Amino acid sequence: MLIDKYSRRFNYLRLSITESCNFRCNYCLPNGPDCTTRKHELTLPEIRRVVTAFAMAGTKKVRITGGEPSLRKDLTEIIRTCKSVPGIEQVALTTNGYRLERDLDEWMEAGLDAVNVSADSLNEGTFQMITGDSRLPSILRGIDKAVERGLKSVKINAVLLRDYNASELPEFLEYLRDRNVALRFIELMQTGDNRAYYKRNHVSGQSVKEHLLDNGWQQTIRPITAGPAQEFSHPDYAGRMGLIMPYSKDFCDDCNRLRVSSRGQLFMCLFAEQHNDFRSYLQADNPEALIEHLQQVLQGKAESHYLHEEFTGSTRHLAMIGG
Ligand code: SAM
Ligand code: SF4
């Protein structure tokens, strides 16, 4: 089992498979991806070796992320590979949804269990202002298709943004009335590149929480291992609301996730200063050596992030590692 010196157990791997993206979300990659070459991305055999080592050390869930993971032509094979590793019970995908409608069936056939789709607005104009992309209708059809096909978990992520979607809570709630999806508002996080944007657009999730509690929504009790989202349900709504508030006290106490970049680096925290390059361990099947290495490196994992002090580590934007 991978355990750090604060006795946190890590059974959840977030695996980035590309840093590239076709959207220009204004809080993430307003000018597009840093580099157009994709030749450094982990290969399928390297991905199998990463996931095998993590699974042997107790990981049960893998989330594939990016950049935009569906830019990789071998995404279906990556899903299949992750799902076939003994010990992996759940394979999830975080995506901007632009290939969801088209490719969902083959991803599910390959073993996909869960999808998180980013949709920061349900209004086409606002969505385009935030992401630079006009495919919201197809993304929403993809989400409905995922629900109809019976994917075990369908979640929508929306980053809370003062100038763009902070007034859209009523529309988001209406959307949930008849849809069995979980919509999660994520508080905007400061990264190396978005300082001025963050100052202008960060809104605390607390006001959303108060609105929900004042309007008949009830906070659900979730197991400590369920991740950092606070969840709310309402008898008149098929869907659930969630809040991810990384600036709230004790956010890091139950951290159960480790992140691997598309270049084979271990990110112990989204906001760490340094990352550990372990790619050399992926050139042959030797999971024991990799596990020993990871366990050693993990002892350097900090107790919490220092975002409150505006310390964003070396993370310039979340497309580097996948959120
Ligand atoms: N491209 C995929 C997507 O957008 O879903 C996966 C990668 S993206 C970095 C993962 C998640 O991080 C998205 O839901 C995105 O909205 C969120 N994100 C990106 N930058 C963020 C920031 N500065 N603060 C909070 N969430 C952010
Ligand atoms: Fe791309 Fe996701 Fe970043 Fe948007 S949030 S620019 S879709 S990586």
Side-chain angles (χ1 to χ4, degrees), residues 17-293:
I17 57 172
T18 182
E19 286 181 21
S20 194
C21 190
N22 53 339
F23 281 19
R24 303 279 178 273
C25 298
N26 51 16
Y27 49 81
C28 181
L29 291 177
N31 304 314
D34 304 331
C35 95
T36 43
T37 165
R38 311 227 339 243
K39 63 176 188 243
H40 305 295
E41 290 168 359
L42 290 173
T43 61
L44 198 56
E46 287 176 319
I47 288 173
R48 179 178 54 74
R49 290 179 184 131
V50 174
V51 177
T52 302
F54 272 82
M56 284 172 64
T59 293
K60 298 190 181 334
K61 175 173 171 183
V62 179
R63 174 171 300 284
I64 300 167
T65 178
E68 176 44 42
S70 60
L71 287 182
R72 276 204 50 170
K73 299 226 167 10
D74 56 354
L75 175 58
T76 302
E77 282 321 300
I78 293 174
I79 294 169
R80 197 184 308 285
T81 299
C82 293
K83 192 58 187 271
S84 69
V85 170
I88 297 301
E89 293 167 4
Q90 200 191 34
V91 176
L93 176 72
T94 300
T95 172
N96 64 25
Y98 99 108
R99 286 288 191 225
L100 186 63
E101 187 181 17
R102 193 192 81 173
D103 292 347
L104 176 75
D105 288 333
E106 68 172 69
W107 296 343
M108 286 182 73
E109 179 275 320
L112 187 71
D113 298 290
V115 74
N116 284 11
V117 186
S118 301
D120 296 325
S121 174
L122 298 175
N123 173 290
E124 277 182 62
T126 313
F127 181 87
Q128 187 152 8
M129 268 197 285
I130 300 170
T131 63
D133 192 90
S134 60
R135 276 167 285 196
L136 180 66
S138 161
I139 294 166
L140 295 177
R141 284 196 301 274
I143 293 170
D144 283 341
K145 184 169 169 182
V147 175
E148 276 161 30
R149 295 283 196 276
L151 199 65
K152 280 179 215 141
S153 163
V154 182
K155 292 182 182 154
I156 299 178
N157 289 338
V159 181
L160 250 183
L161 303 167
R162 185 186 309 283
D163 283 349
Y164 299 93
N165 62 11
S167 59
E168 285 186 34
L169 183 58
E171 285 87 343
F172 278 117
L173 293 181
E174 205 40 49
Y175 177 84
L176 293 180
R177 199 176 278 281
D178 303 314
R179 279 186 186 80
N180 182 17
V181 302
L183 190 141
R184 287 119 47 97
F185 275 126
I186 307 173
E187 270 183 21
L188 178 65
M189 291 177 258
Q190 184 175 339
T191 60
D193 282 0
N194 75 4
R195 197 181 153 82
Y197 183 100
Y198 168 83
K199 295 253 179 266
R200 167 97 209 130
N201 274 290
H202 179 258
V203 186
S204 163
Q206 193 57 33
S207 54
V208 176
K209 182 170 177 175
E210 282 160 19
H211 177 93
L212 293 174
L213 294 175
D214 288 347
N215 286 278
W217 290 77
Q218 289 199 330
Q219 189 160 356
T220 328
I221 311 291
R222 302 174 82 219
I224 206 156
T225 49
Q230 303 181 31
E231 263 203 5
F232 302 84
S233 61
H234 189 297
D236 298 342
Y237 293 77
R240 284 145 289 129
M241 271 296 299
L243 282 171
I244 300 183
M245 303 204 283
Y247 289 87
S248 66
K249 198 173 149 286
D250 305 333
F251 182 78
C252 303
D253 288 3
D254 309 320
C255 183
N256 66 347
R257 59 205 55 197
L258 292 171
R259 296 174 165 86
V260 169
S261 77
S262 61
R263 292 167 183 248
Q265 293 174 307
L266 181 70
F267 278 51
M268 286 189 281
C269 172
L270 271 182
F271 301 102
E273 187 61 60
Q274 283 181 345
H275 311 300
N276 180 267
D277 189 332
F278 63 84
R279 199 159 189 174
S280 59
Y281 287 86
L282 302 178
Q283 305 319 307
D285 288 321
N286 189 354
E288 290 81 7
L290 177 52
I291 295 169
E292 199 182 317
H293 174 76

